[in-house]
Amino acid sequence: MSYEAQIARSVTRIYKAVFPNTVNHYDTMFGGTAMQLMDEVAFITATRFSRMRVVTVSSDRIDFKKPIPHGTIIELIGEVMHVGKTSLQVRVTVYVEQMYSNHREKAIEGTFAFVAIDDQKRPTAIVLPPE
């Protein structure tokens, strides 16, 4: 399977409702909660792409463009952007949707880097899984 086909196959979409326990005193989602969800989606995306053990090694420039209010729905989309010998980068985009209308906006975007590891937790080459 080609890298392009595997990238398309590994796109990950997760939806969450924004409940009161995830918001701050401004009634918007905590930034740390959003980043935790983004890292989880990025991890799932990297794992689905490589089908190997991967660990997060960094996050790069997470831009909070719009607040995410209580009572909305968010969609997190993870996409592999770059593959190196032992590492890969995943972009996660978060969209906020109103619960009772079709209004939707990009709220957050960020990039996460992962390294594939072997059984001894050392970096190992990323090899595409067989079809």
Side-chain angles (χ1 to χ4, degrees), residues 2-109:
S2 72
Y3 274 122
E4 293 79 17
Q6 190 64 10
I7 287 170
R9 187 180 197 169
S10 67
V11 171
T12 302
R13 296 172 182 271
I14 294 178
Y15 295 86
K16 296 276 190 183
V18 181
F19 291 118
N21 64 328
T22 63
V23 300
N24 58 30
H25 60 289
Y26 297 114
D27 209 27
T28 59
M29 182 177 271
F30 283 112
T33 301
M35 291 187 328
Q36 178 183 1
L37 292 170
M38 292 172 75
D39 186 35
E40 180 179 345
V41 169
F43 169 79
I44 292 168
T45 305
T47 301
R48 291 182 69 220
F49 172 82
S50 67
R51 297 298 175 179
M52 299 176 72
R53 290 182 181 99
V54 296
V55 292
T56 306
V57 293
S58 70
S59 60
D60 186 32
R61 191 174 172 118
I62 297 175
D63 291 321
F64 294 84
K65 299 173 186 295
K66 298 280 182 184
I68 299 175
H70 162 256
T72 56
I73 298 168
I74 57 171
E75 179 184 18
L76 300 101
I77 304 171
E79 300 175 83
V80 172
M81 301 308 298
H82 175 76
V83 181
K85 182 178 177 189
T86 62
S87 65
L88 57 104
Q89 290 185 338
V90 177
R91 179 179 62 217
V92 177
T93 307
V94 181
Y95 292 91
V96 60
E97 299 180 5
Q98 298 304 312
M99 223 177 260
Y100 305 110
S101 76
N102 288 322
H103 184 73
R104 170 185 166 99
E105 293 181 277
K106 184 189 291 188
I108 309 171
E109 189 169 60

